[in-house]
């Protein structure tokens, strides 16, 4: 199974560390929307979650994006660590919605 990160790195011929700069382009985000529009996506951290559909990219990374609309005062990165014991490797990249 190919991850979205691997797919995007292959598509744009870059390393994960370079994606942050590439994803700032509105043109690139539009291209990603078209590429992922009809793809069946699956979360790799939890097998109980059914297939997901792509809704877009956030403007912030998980390390700076508030989880639960800011209600609890934690970031998405903190949420994944507390709930799933996952340390996000590329927490500065935009989140998928």
């Amino acid at each position: 199974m190919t991850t979205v990160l691997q797919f995007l790195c292959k598509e744009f011929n870059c390393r994960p560390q370079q994606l942050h700069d590439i994803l700032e382009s509105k043109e690139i985000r539009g291209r990603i929307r078209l590429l992922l529009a009809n793809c069946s996506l699956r979360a790799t951290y939890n097998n109980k979650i059914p297939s997901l559909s792509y809704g877009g990219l956030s403007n912030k990374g998980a390390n700076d994006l508030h989880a639960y609309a800011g209600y609890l005062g934690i970031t998405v990165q903190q949420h994944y660590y507390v709930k799933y014991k996952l340390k996000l490797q590329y927490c500065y990249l935009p989140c998928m919605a």
Side-chain angles (χ1 to χ4, degrees):
M1 174 171 60
T2 302
T3 66
V4 173
L5 181 64
Q6 291 167 335
F7 174 77
L8 293 177
C9 286
K10 183 177 179 183
E11 184 68 27
F12 298 109
N13 193 28
C14 68
R15 293 175 298 162
Q17 297 85 348
Q18 298 168 307
L19 267 179
H20 183 269
D21 294 331
I22 292 170
L23 294 175
E24 290 190 12
S25 163
K26 287 183 181 182
E27 180 182 314
I28 295 293
R29 285 174 176 253
R31 187 169 159 200
I32 291 170
R33 186 177 60 252
L34 293 174
L35 287 169
L36 298 179
N38 297 318
C39 291
S40 178
L41 306 172
R42 182 171 299 279
T44 58
Y45 64 90
N46 187 342
N47 290 331
K48 296 177 187 174
I49 296 176
S51 293
L52 308 167
S53 60
Y54 177 76
L57 292 173
S58 67
N59 290 324
K60 297 180 179 181
N63 63 335
D64 199 31
L65 187 65
H66 292 286
Y68 307 108
Y71 179 72
L72 297 177
I74 65 171
T75 65
V76 171
Q77 179 183 20
Q78 291 167 327
H79 162 77
Y80 276 91
Y81 184 75
V82 169
K83 186 162 184 170
Y84 301 107
K85 303 293 185 244
L86 292 176
K87 185 175 180 183
L88 302 179
Q89 186 173 6
Y90 301 105
C91 59
Y92 55 87
L93 290 175
C95 297
M96 287 181 47

PDB file of all heavy atoms in Angstrom, residues 4 7-8 12 23 25-42 51-59 94-97:
ATOM      1  N   VAL A   4      -0.107   8.434   1.086  1.00  0.00           N
ATOM      2  CA  VAL A   4      -0.301   9.692   0.349  1.00  0.00           C
ATOM      3  C   VAL A   4       1.025  10.431   0.274  1.00  0.00           C
ATOM      4  O   VAL A   4       1.363  11.008  -0.755  1.00  0.00           O
ATOM      5  CB  VAL A   4      -1.397  10.561   1.009  1.00  0.00           C
ATOM      6  CG1 VAL A   4      -1.471  11.934   0.362  1.00  0.00           C
ATOM      7  CG2 VAL A   4      -2.746   9.862   0.923  1.00  0.00           C
ATOM      8  N   PHE A   7       3.084   8.874  -2.413  1.00  0.00           N
ATOM      9  CA  PHE A   7       2.481   9.208  -3.705  1.00  0.00           C
ATOM     10  C   PHE A   7       2.830  10.633  -4.125  1.00  0.00           C
ATOM     11  O   PHE A   7       3.234  10.876  -5.270  1.00  0.00           O
ATOM     12  CB  PHE A   7       0.956   9.032  -3.616  1.00  0.00           C
ATOM     13  CG  PHE A   7       0.229   9.484  -4.843  1.00  0.00           C
ATOM     14  CD1 PHE A   7       0.217   8.699  -5.986  1.00  0.00           C
ATOM     15  CD2 PHE A   7      -0.455  10.690  -4.864  1.00  0.00           C
ATOM     16  CE1 PHE A   7      -0.462   9.116  -7.128  1.00  0.00           C
ATOM     17  CE2 PHE A   7      -1.129  11.106  -5.995  1.00  0.00           C
ATOM     18  CZ  PHE A   7      -1.131  10.319  -7.132  1.00  0.00           C
ATOM     19  N   LEU A   8       2.694  11.589  -3.208  1.00  0.00           N
ATOM     20  CA  LEU A   8       2.992  12.985  -3.537  1.00  0.00           C
ATOM     21  C   LEU A   8       4.474  13.197  -3.811  1.00  0.00           C
ATOM     22  O   LEU A   8       4.835  13.949  -4.722  1.00  0.00           O
ATOM     23  CB  LEU A   8       2.515  13.913  -2.419  1.00  0.00           C
ATOM     24  CG  LEU A   8       1.007  13.997  -2.226  1.00  0.00           C
ATOM     25  CD1 LEU A   8       0.666  14.888  -1.038  1.00  0.00           C
ATOM     26  CD2 LEU A   8       0.319  14.493  -3.487  1.00  0.00           C
ATOM     27  N   PHE A  12       5.734  14.621  -7.431  1.00  0.00           N
ATOM     28  CA  PHE A  12       6.452  15.892  -7.545  1.00  0.00           C
ATOM     29  C   PHE A  12       7.968  15.723  -7.490  1.00  0.00           C
ATOM     30  O   PHE A  12       8.691  16.711  -7.398  1.00  0.00           O
ATOM     31  CB  PHE A  12       5.971  16.863  -6.469  1.00  0.00           C
ATOM     32  CG  PHE A  12       4.519  17.193  -6.621  1.00  0.00           C
ATOM     33  CD1 PHE A  12       3.581  16.711  -5.734  1.00  0.00           C
ATOM     34  CD2 PHE A  12       4.081  17.951  -7.689  1.00  0.00           C
ATOM     35  CE1 PHE A  12       2.235  16.991  -5.892  1.00  0.00           C
ATOM     36  CE2 PHE A  12       2.739  18.241  -7.859  1.00  0.00           C
ATOM     37  CZ  PHE A  12       1.816  17.755  -6.954  1.00  0.00           C
ATOM     38  N   LEU A  23       3.888  22.574  -1.390  1.00  0.00           N
ATOM     39  CA  LEU A  23       2.455  22.645  -1.103  1.00  0.00           C
ATOM     40  C   LEU A  23       1.940  24.057  -0.835  1.00  0.00           C
ATOM     41  O   LEU A  23       0.745  24.249  -0.657  1.00  0.00           O
ATOM     42  CB  LEU A  23       2.110  21.733   0.080  1.00  0.00           C
ATOM     43  CG  LEU A  23       2.296  20.241  -0.181  1.00  0.00           C
ATOM     44  CD1 LEU A  23       2.052  19.450   1.083  1.00  0.00           C
ATOM     45  CD2 LEU A  23       1.394  19.775  -1.302  1.00  0.00           C
ATOM     46  N   SER A  25       1.954  26.346  -3.022  1.00  0.00           N
ATOM     47  CA  SER A  25       1.427  26.809  -4.305  1.00  0.00           C
ATOM     48  C   SER A  25      -0.045  26.414  -4.469  1.00  0.00           C
ATOM     49  O   SER A  25      -0.405  25.251  -4.321  1.00  0.00           O
ATOM     50  CB  SER A  25       2.247  26.197  -5.451  1.00  0.00           C
ATOM     51  OG  SER A  25       1.565  26.304  -6.666  1.00  0.00           O
ATOM     52  N   LYS A  26      -0.903  27.390  -4.785  1.00  0.00           N
ATOM     53  CA  LYS A  26      -2.327  27.103  -5.022  1.00  0.00           C
ATOM     54  C   LYS A  26      -2.491  26.195  -6.243  1.00  0.00           C
ATOM     55  O   LYS A  26      -3.377  25.354  -6.278  1.00  0.00           O
ATOM     56  CB  LYS A  26      -3.107  28.399  -5.225  1.00  0.00           C
ATOM     57  CG  LYS A  26      -3.306  29.174  -3.961  1.00  0.00           C
ATOM     58  CD  LYS A  26      -4.154  30.404  -4.203  1.00  0.00           C
ATOM     59  CE  LYS A  26      -4.310  31.179  -2.917  1.00  0.00           C
ATOM     60  NZ  LYS A  26      -5.157  32.365  -3.090  1.00  0.00           N
ATOM     61  N   GLU A  27      -1.635  26.364  -7.223  1.00  0.00           N
ATOM     62  CA  GLU A  27      -1.687  25.523  -8.424  1.00  0.00           C
ATOM     63  C   GLU A  27      -1.414  24.063  -8.067  1.00  0.00           C
ATOM     64  O   GLU A  27      -2.112  23.159  -8.530  1.00  0.00           O
ATOM     65  CB  GLU A  27      -0.670  26.014  -9.450  1.00  0.00           C
ATOM     66  CG  GLU A  27      -0.657  25.214 -10.728  1.00  0.00           C
ATOM     67  CD  GLU A  27       0.406  25.709 -11.694  1.00  0.00           C
ATOM     68  OE1 GLU A  27       0.518  26.931 -11.901  1.00  0.00           O
ATOM     69  OE2 GLU A  27       1.123  24.853 -12.241  1.00  0.00           O
ATOM     70  N   ILE A  28      -0.427  23.837  -7.232  1.00  0.00           N
ATOM     71  CA  ILE A  28      -0.077  22.480  -6.811  1.00  0.00           C
ATOM     72  C   ILE A  28      -1.213  21.875  -5.987  1.00  0.00           C
ATOM     73  O   ILE A  28      -1.584  20.719  -6.166  1.00  0.00           O
ATOM     74  CB  ILE A  28       1.236  22.464  -5.998  1.00  0.00           C
ATOM     75  CG1 ILE A  28       2.417  22.904  -6.869  1.00  0.00           C
ATOM     76  CG2 ILE A  28       1.481  21.097  -5.368  1.00  0.00           C
ATOM     77  CD1 ILE A  28       2.777  21.959  -7.982  1.00  0.00           C
ATOM     78  N   ARG A  29      -1.793  22.665  -5.092  1.00  0.00           N
ATOM     79  CA  ARG A  29      -2.914  22.168  -4.273  1.00  0.00           C
ATOM     80  C   ARG A  29      -4.100  21.778  -5.159  1.00  0.00           C
ATOM     81  O   ARG A  29      -4.775  20.792  -4.906  1.00  0.00           O
ATOM     82  CB  ARG A  29      -3.334  23.203  -3.242  1.00  0.00           C
ATOM     83  CG  ARG A  29      -2.360  23.287  -2.085  1.00  0.00           C
ATOM     84  CD  ARG A  29      -2.725  24.428  -1.147  1.00  0.00           C
ATOM     85  NE  ARG A  29      -1.857  24.431  -0.005  1.00  0.00           N
ATOM     86  CZ  ARG A  29      -2.220  24.058   1.216  1.00  0.00           C
ATOM     87  NH1 ARG A  29      -3.449  23.679   1.460  1.00  0.00           N
ATOM     88  NH2 ARG A  29      -1.368  24.076   2.212  1.00  0.00           N
ATOM     89  N   GLY A  30      -4.342  22.544  -6.199  1.00  0.00           N
ATOM     90  CA  GLY A  30      -5.410  22.211  -7.140  1.00  0.00           C
ATOM     91  C   GLY A  30      -5.116  20.916  -7.867  1.00  0.00           C
ATOM     92  O   GLY A  30      -6.003  20.090  -8.091  1.00  0.00           O
ATOM     93  N   ARG A  31      -3.864  20.742  -8.239  1.00  0.00           N
ATOM     94  CA  ARG A  31      -3.450  19.511  -8.918  1.00  0.00           C
ATOM     95  C   ARG A  31      -3.614  18.298  -7.998  1.00  0.00           C
ATOM     96  O   ARG A  31      -4.089  17.239  -8.422  1.00  0.00           O
ATOM     97  CB  ARG A  31      -2.000  19.647  -9.365  1.00  0.00           C
ATOM     98  CG  ARG A  31      -1.515  18.526 -10.224  1.00  0.00           C
ATOM     99  CD  ARG A  31      -0.174  18.872 -10.827  1.00  0.00           C
ATOM    100  NE  ARG A  31       0.509  17.663 -11.221  1.00  0.00           N
ATOM    101  CZ  ARG A  31       1.801  17.567 -11.415  1.00  0.00           C
ATOM    102  NH1 ARG A  31       2.572  18.628 -11.250  1.00  0.00           N
ATOM    103  NH2 ARG A  31       2.363  16.443 -11.776  1.00  0.00           N
ATOM    104  N   ILE A  32      -3.269  18.469  -6.719  1.00  0.00           N
ATOM    105  CA  ILE A  32      -3.424  17.384  -5.750  1.00  0.00           C
ATOM    106  C   ILE A  32      -4.896  17.049  -5.583  1.00  0.00           C
ATOM    107  O   ILE A  32      -5.267  15.871  -5.505  1.00  0.00           O
ATOM    108  CB  ILE A  32      -2.788  17.765  -4.397  1.00  0.00           C
ATOM    109  CG1 ILE A  32      -1.263  17.828  -4.545  1.00  0.00           C
ATOM    110  CG2 ILE A  32      -3.189  16.777  -3.305  1.00  0.00           C
ATOM    111  CD1 ILE A  32      -0.554  18.414  -3.349  1.00  0.00           C
ATOM    112  N   ARG A  33      -5.739  18.066  -5.537  1.00  0.00           N
ATOM    113  CA  ARG A  33      -7.180  17.830  -5.409  1.00  0.00           C
ATOM    114  C   ARG A  33      -7.681  16.954  -6.555  1.00  0.00           C
ATOM    115  O   ARG A  33      -8.442  16.013  -6.350  1.00  0.00           O
ATOM    116  CB  ARG A  33      -7.937  19.158  -5.359  1.00  0.00           C
ATOM    117  CG  ARG A  33      -9.423  19.002  -5.086  1.00  0.00           C
ATOM    118  CD  ARG A  33     -10.159  20.330  -4.955  1.00  0.00           C
ATOM    119  NE  ARG A  33     -10.067  21.134  -6.162  1.00  0.00           N
ATOM    120  CZ  ARG A  33      -9.349  22.245  -6.299  1.00  0.00           C
ATOM    121  NH1 ARG A  33      -8.654  22.719  -5.282  1.00  0.00           N
ATOM    122  NH2 ARG A  33      -9.328  22.907  -7.426  1.00  0.00           N
ATOM    123  N   LEU A  34      -7.219  17.239  -7.763  1.00  0.00           N
ATOM    124  CA  LEU A  34      -7.625  16.437  -8.917  1.00  0.00           C
ATOM    125  C   LEU A  34      -7.051  15.020  -8.854  1.00  0.00           C
ATOM    126  O   LEU A  34      -7.737  14.049  -9.185  1.00  0.00           O
ATOM    127  CB  LEU A  34      -7.195  17.114 -10.216  1.00  0.00           C
ATOM    128  CG  LEU A  34      -7.893  18.434 -10.547  1.00  0.00           C
ATOM    129  CD1 LEU A  34      -7.264  19.078 -11.780  1.00  0.00           C
ATOM    130  CD2 LEU A  34      -9.383  18.211 -10.753  1.00  0.00           C
ATOM    131  N   LEU A  35      -5.814  14.893  -8.427  1.00  0.00           N
ATOM    132  CA  LEU A  35      -5.165  13.578  -8.348  1.00  0.00           C
ATOM    133  C   LEU A  35      -5.833  12.665  -7.326  1.00  0.00           C
ATOM    134  O   LEU A  35      -5.954  11.468  -7.543  1.00  0.00           O
ATOM    135  CB  LEU A  35      -3.684  13.739  -7.984  1.00  0.00           C
ATOM    136  CG  LEU A  35      -2.757  14.284  -9.064  1.00  0.00           C
ATOM    137  CD1 LEU A  35      -1.404  14.622  -8.462  1.00  0.00           C
ATOM    138  CD2 LEU A  35      -2.602  13.276 -10.186  1.00  0.00           C
ATOM    139  N   LEU A  36      -6.269  13.241  -6.205  1.00  0.00           N
ATOM    140  CA  LEU A  36      -6.809  12.430  -5.120  1.00  0.00           C
ATOM    141  C   LEU A  36      -8.333  12.374  -5.093  1.00  0.00           C
ATOM    142  O   LEU A  36      -8.915  11.667  -4.267  1.00  0.00           O
ATOM    143  CB  LEU A  36      -6.297  12.948  -3.770  1.00  0.00           C
ATOM    144  CG  LEU A  36      -4.787  12.899  -3.566  1.00  0.00           C
ATOM    145  CD1 LEU A  36      -4.421  13.456  -2.201  1.00  0.00           C
ATOM    146  CD2 LEU A  36      -4.266  11.482  -3.711  1.00  0.00           C
ATOM    147  N   ALA A  37      -8.971  13.085  -6.009  1.00  0.00           N
ATOM    148  CA  ALA A  37     -10.437  13.199  -5.982  1.00  0.00           C
ATOM    149  C   ALA A  37     -11.143  11.845  -6.027  1.00  0.00           C
ATOM    150  O   ALA A  37     -12.121  11.632  -5.319  1.00  0.00           O
ATOM    151  CB  ALA A  37     -10.915  14.075  -7.131  1.00  0.00           C
ATOM    152  N   ASN A  38     -10.683  10.939  -6.821  1.00  0.00           N
ATOM    153  CA  ASN A  38     -11.366   9.653  -6.984  1.00  0.00           C
ATOM    154  C   ASN A  38     -10.628   8.487  -6.335  1.00  0.00           C
ATOM    155  O   ASN A  38     -10.925   7.337  -6.627  1.00  0.00           O
ATOM    156  CB  ASN A  38     -11.591   9.366  -8.465  1.00  0.00           C
ATOM    157  CG  ASN A  38     -12.500  10.394  -9.097  1.00  0.00           C
ATOM    158  OD1 ASN A  38     -13.492  10.787  -8.501  1.00  0.00           O
ATOM    159  ND2 ASN A  38     -12.152  10.847 -10.285  1.00  0.00           N
ATOM    160  N   CYS A  39      -9.669   8.811  -5.478  1.00  0.00           N
ATOM    161  CA  CYS A  39      -8.899   7.761  -4.809  1.00  0.00           C
ATOM    162  C   CYS A  39      -9.598   7.320  -3.532  1.00  0.00           C
ATOM    163  O   CYS A  39     -10.221   8.110  -2.840  1.00  0.00           O
ATOM    164  CB  CYS A  39      -7.509   8.274  -4.441  1.00  0.00           C
ATOM    165  SG  CYS A  39      -6.455   8.569  -5.844  1.00  0.00           S
ATOM    166  N   SER A  40      -9.487   6.056  -3.243  1.00  0.00           N
ATOM    167  CA  SER A  40      -9.972   5.528  -1.971  1.00  0.00           C
ATOM    168  C   SER A  40      -8.803   5.576  -0.999  1.00  0.00           C
ATOM    169  O   SER A  40      -7.770   4.950  -1.230  1.00  0.00           O
ATOM    170  CB  SER A  40     -10.462   4.096  -2.155  1.00  0.00           C
ATOM    171  OG  SER A  40     -10.877   3.574  -0.927  1.00  0.00           O
ATOM    172  N   LEU A  41      -8.944   6.330   0.069  1.00  0.00           N
ATOM    173  CA  LEU A  41      -7.868   6.509   1.038  1.00  0.00           C
ATOM    174  C   LEU A  41      -8.191   5.748   2.314  1.00  0.00           C
ATOM    175  O   LEU A  41      -9.354   5.576   2.667  1.00  0.00           O
ATOM    176  CB  LEU A  41      -7.696   7.998   1.348  1.00  0.00           C
ATOM    177  CG  LEU A  41      -7.477   8.911   0.140  1.00  0.00           C
ATOM    178  CD1 LEU A  41      -7.510  10.363   0.569  1.00  0.00           C
ATOM    179  CD2 LEU A  41      -6.164   8.577  -0.541  1.00  0.00           C
ATOM    180  N   ARG A  42      -7.157   5.327   2.995  1.00  0.00           N
ATOM    181  CA  ARG A  42      -7.342   4.601   4.256  1.00  0.00           C
ATOM    182  C   ARG A  42      -6.318   5.119   5.261  1.00  0.00           C
ATOM    183  O   ARG A  42      -5.167   5.333   4.924  1.00  0.00           O
ATOM    184  CB  ARG A  42      -7.155   3.110   4.032  1.00  0.00           C
ATOM    185  CG  ARG A  42      -7.369   2.284   5.279  1.00  0.00           C
ATOM    186  CD  ARG A  42      -7.400   0.803   4.990  1.00  0.00           C
ATOM    187  NE  ARG A  42      -8.471   0.430   4.090  1.00  0.00           N
ATOM    188  CZ  ARG A  42      -9.737   0.245   4.464  1.00  0.00           C
ATOM    189  NH1 ARG A  42     -10.088   0.432   5.701  1.00  0.00           N
ATOM    190  NH2 ARG A  42     -10.648  -0.119   3.583  1.00  0.00           N
ATOM    191  N   SER A  51     -12.837   3.557   4.570  1.00  0.00           N
ATOM    192  CA  SER A  51     -12.192   4.369   3.531  1.00  0.00           C
ATOM    193  C   SER A  51     -12.581   5.829   3.683  1.00  0.00           C
ATOM    194  O   SER A  51     -13.699   6.160   4.072  1.00  0.00           O
ATOM    195  CB  SER A  51     -12.592   3.870   2.146  1.00  0.00           C
ATOM    196  OG  SER A  51     -12.058   2.600   1.925  1.00  0.00           O
ATOM    197  N   LEU A  52     -11.648   6.695   3.376  1.00  0.00           N
ATOM    198  CA  LEU A  52     -11.849   8.133   3.495  1.00  0.00           C
ATOM    199  C   LEU A  52     -11.834   8.764   2.114  1.00  0.00           C
ATOM    200  O   LEU A  52     -11.269   8.212   1.178  1.00  0.00           O
ATOM    201  CB  LEU A  52     -10.720   8.741   4.341  1.00  0.00           C
ATOM    202  CG  LEU A  52     -10.462   8.105   5.703  1.00  0.00           C
ATOM    203  CD1 LEU A  52      -9.138   8.590   6.258  1.00  0.00           C
ATOM    204  CD2 LEU A  52     -11.591   8.443   6.648  1.00  0.00           C
ATOM    205  N   SER A  53     -12.408   9.933   1.998  1.00  0.00           N
ATOM    206  CA  SER A  53     -12.305  10.678   0.744  1.00  0.00           C
ATOM    207  C   SER A  53     -11.531  11.962   1.015  1.00  0.00           C
ATOM    208  O   SER A  53     -11.548  12.507   2.123  1.00  0.00           O
ATOM    209  CB  SER A  53     -13.690  10.993   0.174  1.00  0.00           C
ATOM    210  OG  SER A  53     -14.427  11.757   1.082  1.00  0.00           O
ATOM    211  N   TYR A  54     -10.853  12.436  -0.003  1.00  0.00           N
ATOM    212  CA  TYR A  54     -10.014  13.619   0.117  1.00  0.00           C
ATOM    213  C   TYR A  54     -10.879  14.877   0.098  1.00  0.00           C
ATOM    214  O   TYR A  54     -11.698  15.062  -0.782  1.00  0.00           O
ATOM    215  CB  TYR A  54      -9.002  13.645  -1.032  1.00  0.00           C
ATOM    216  CG  TYR A  54      -8.133  14.868  -1.044  1.00  0.00           C
ATOM    217  CD1 TYR A  54      -7.100  14.997  -0.145  1.00  0.00           C
ATOM    218  CD2 TYR A  54      -8.362  15.896  -1.953  1.00  0.00           C
ATOM    219  CE1 TYR A  54      -6.291  16.113  -0.147  1.00  0.00           C
ATOM    220  CE2 TYR A  54      -7.556  17.018  -1.962  1.00  0.00           C
ATOM    221  CZ  TYR A  54      -6.526  17.126  -1.054  1.00  0.00           C
ATOM    222  OH  TYR A  54      -5.742  18.227  -1.050  1.00  0.00           O
ATOM    223  N   GLY A  55     -10.685  15.742   1.082  1.00  0.00           N
ATOM    224  CA  GLY A  55     -11.450  16.976   1.152  1.00  0.00           C
ATOM    225  C   GLY A  55     -10.600  18.228   1.028  1.00  0.00           C
ATOM    226  O   GLY A  55     -11.136  19.326   0.898  1.00  0.00           O
ATOM    227  N   GLY A  56      -9.292  18.088   1.072  1.00  0.00           N
ATOM    228  CA  GLY A  56      -8.413  19.245   0.941  1.00  0.00           C
ATOM    229  C   GLY A  56      -7.248  19.186   1.916  1.00  0.00           C
ATOM    230  O   GLY A  56      -7.106  18.239   2.685  1.00  0.00           O
ATOM    231  N   LEU A  57      -6.428  20.223   1.869  1.00  0.00           N
ATOM    232  CA  LEU A  57      -5.270  20.336   2.747  1.00  0.00           C
ATOM    233  C   LEU A  57      -5.437  21.549   3.650  1.00  0.00           C
ATOM    234  O   LEU A  57      -5.941  22.584   3.223  1.00  0.00           O
ATOM    235  CB  LEU A  57      -3.983  20.513   1.935  1.00  0.00           C
ATOM    236  CG  LEU A  57      -3.503  19.339   1.106  1.00  0.00           C
ATOM    237  CD1 LEU A  57      -2.326  19.743   0.246  1.00  0.00           C
ATOM    238  CD2 LEU A  57      -3.109  18.179   2.004  1.00  0.00           C
ATOM    239  N   SER A  58      -4.992  21.408   4.887  1.00  0.00           N
ATOM    240  CA  SER A  58      -5.017  22.540   5.801  1.00  0.00           C
ATOM    241  C   SER A  58      -3.901  23.513   5.435  1.00  0.00           C
ATOM    242  O   SER A  58      -2.989  23.179   4.692  1.00  0.00           O
ATOM    243  CB  SER A  58      -4.835  22.057   7.243  1.00  0.00           C
ATOM    244  OG  SER A  58      -3.526  21.536   7.414  1.00  0.00           O
ATOM    245  N   ASN A  59      -3.974  24.706   5.966  1.00  0.00           N
ATOM    246  CA  ASN A  59      -2.910  25.690   5.746  1.00  0.00           C
ATOM    247  C   ASN A  59      -1.779  25.527   6.751  1.00  0.00           C
ATOM    248  O   ASN A  59      -0.699  26.059   6.551  1.00  0.00           O
ATOM    249  CB  ASN A  59      -3.474  27.109   5.822  1.00  0.00           C
ATOM    250  CG  ASN A  59      -4.359  27.424   4.642  1.00  0.00           C
ATOM    251  OD1 ASN A  59      -4.096  26.980   3.533  1.00  0.00           O
ATOM    252  ND2 ASN A  59      -5.419  28.164   4.870  1.00  0.00           N
ATOM    253  N   PRO A  94       1.039  20.098   5.875  1.00  0.00           N
ATOM    254  CA  PRO A  94      -0.402  20.319   6.004  1.00  0.00           C
ATOM    255  C   PRO A  94      -1.143  19.009   6.264  1.00  0.00           C
ATOM    256  O   PRO A  94      -0.720  17.944   5.830  1.00  0.00           O
ATOM    257  CB  PRO A  94      -0.802  20.899   4.641  1.00  0.00           C
ATOM    258  CG  PRO A  94       0.443  21.472   4.080  1.00  0.00           C
ATOM    259  CD  PRO A  94       1.561  20.603   4.601  1.00  0.00           C
ATOM    260  N   CYS A  95      -2.243  19.118   6.966  1.00  0.00           N
ATOM    261  CA  CYS A  95      -3.087  17.952   7.263  1.00  0.00           C
ATOM    262  C   CYS A  95      -4.104  17.774   6.148  1.00  0.00           C
ATOM    263  O   CYS A  95      -4.545  18.738   5.525  1.00  0.00           O
ATOM    264  CB  CYS A  95      -3.832  18.154   8.569  1.00  0.00           C
ATOM    265  SG  CYS A  95      -2.758  18.310   9.990  1.00  0.00           S
ATOM    266  N   MET A  96      -4.509  16.536   5.930  1.00  0.00           N
ATOM    267  CA  MET A  96      -5.582  16.252   4.982  1.00  0.00           C
ATOM    268  C   MET A  96      -6.910  16.320   5.705  1.00  0.00           C
ATOM    269  O   MET A  96      -7.023  15.864   6.842  1.00  0.00           O
ATOM    270  CB  MET A  96      -5.401  14.868   4.369  1.00  0.00           C
ATOM    271  CG  MET A  96      -4.279  14.817   3.388  1.00  0.00           C
ATOM    272  SD  MET A  96      -4.053  13.193   2.634  1.00  0.00           S
ATOM    273  CE  MET A  96      -5.687  12.744   2.163  1.00  0.00           C
ATOM    274  N   ALA A  97      -7.876  16.904   5.035  1.00  0.00           N
ATOM    275  CA  ALA A  97      -9.228  17.002   5.615  1.00  0.00           C
ATOM    276  C   ALA A  97     -10.157  16.038   4.916  1.00  0.00           C
ATOM    277  O   ALA A  97      -9.935  15.654   3.802  1.00  0.00           O
ATOM    278  CB  ALA A  97      -9.732  18.425   5.467  1.00  0.00           C
TER     279      ALA A  97
END
